[in-house]
Amino acid sequence: MHEVLQPEGWAKPIGYANGVAATGRTIFVGGQIGWNSNCEFETDDFVGQVRQTLENVVAVLKAGGAEPRHITTMTWYFTDKKEYTENLRGLGQAYRDVIGRHFPAMAAMQVVALVEDRAKIEIQATAVIPE
C-alpha cells in the first residue's frame, strides 16, 4: 500500500520508518491532545494522555474514511522529554493497542508548552488512502 523508504546500509529503525512514499487521497490530522470528545481531560497520566491522543487521531482518520494503516507520517510534541523516555514501554503498548504494528515516518520533540495547560502530548498526522 505504502512504500517504506530505507536507505541502503542504514540500520533499521525501531518503531518508525525513515520515510514513506504514497499516492492517493491525503488526510491531514491537526494536532490532537489527550482529552476526550467533550474537550475534557480524564487523566494527567502521560501514557493515558498518549493513548487518548492516539484514539483522537484515529477518530479523525475514520471521519475521513482512513484507518491507522494509512498513516504516512506523525509528529509528536511533548512537554517533558524525561517523562517520554521513562515511559517508552507503556507508550509502545498504547501505540500498538490503538495504531497496531504500523510504523510511519515520525518525528518527536520536546516543546516548552502546549496551548492547553493540562496537555502533555500533541500529535499531528498525515494519512494517504491509496487510489
Side-chain angles (χ1 to χ4, degrees), residues 15-16 51 54-55 58 61 67-71 74 76 91-104 106:
Y16 67 96
R51 180 179 297 276
L54 292 169
E55 289 172 357
V58 170
L61 291 174
E67 300 174 13
R69 65 189 175 102
H70 297 125
I71 298 170
M74 299 177 92
W76 294 43
L91 293 174
Q93 187 62 56
Y95 184 92
R96 288 185 304 278
D97 289 348
V98 178
I99 304 297
R101 298 195 69 77
H102 171 69
F103 304 106
M106 290 191 201

Side-chain angles (χ1 to χ4, degrees), residues 3 7 9 13 25-26 36-37 39 49-50 54 72 74 79 87 89 94-95 99 104 107 109 117 131:
E3 178 187 357
R25 180 171 176 245
T26 306
N36 64 26
S37 61
C39 300
Q49 282 200 18
V50 167
L54 292 169
T72 55
M74 299 177 92
T79 57
N87 287 286
R89 180 164 288 167
Y95 184 92
I99 304 297
M109 66 200 76
D117 289 336
E131 300 174 329

Side-chain angles (χ1 to χ4, degrees), residues 36-77:
N36 64 26
S37 61
N38 293 315
C39 300
E40 298 169 344
F41 288 93
E42 296 177 4
T43 183
D44 288 318
D45 174 70
F46 185 72
V47 174
Q49 282 200 18
V50 167
R51 180 179 297 276
Q52 181 64 58
T53 300
L54 292 169
E55 289 172 357
N56 295 345
V57 167
V58 170
V60 174
L61 291 174
K62 185 176 179 183
E67 300 174 13
R69 65 189 175 102
H70 297 125
I71 298 170
T72 55
T73 186
M74 299 177 92
T75 304
W76 294 43
Y77 306 92

Side-chain angles (χ1 to χ4, degrees), residues 106-119:
M106 290 191 201
M109 66 200 76
Q110 178 177 306
V111 295
V112 172
L114 297 168
V115 172
E116 293 297 328
D117 289 336
R118 282 184 68 185

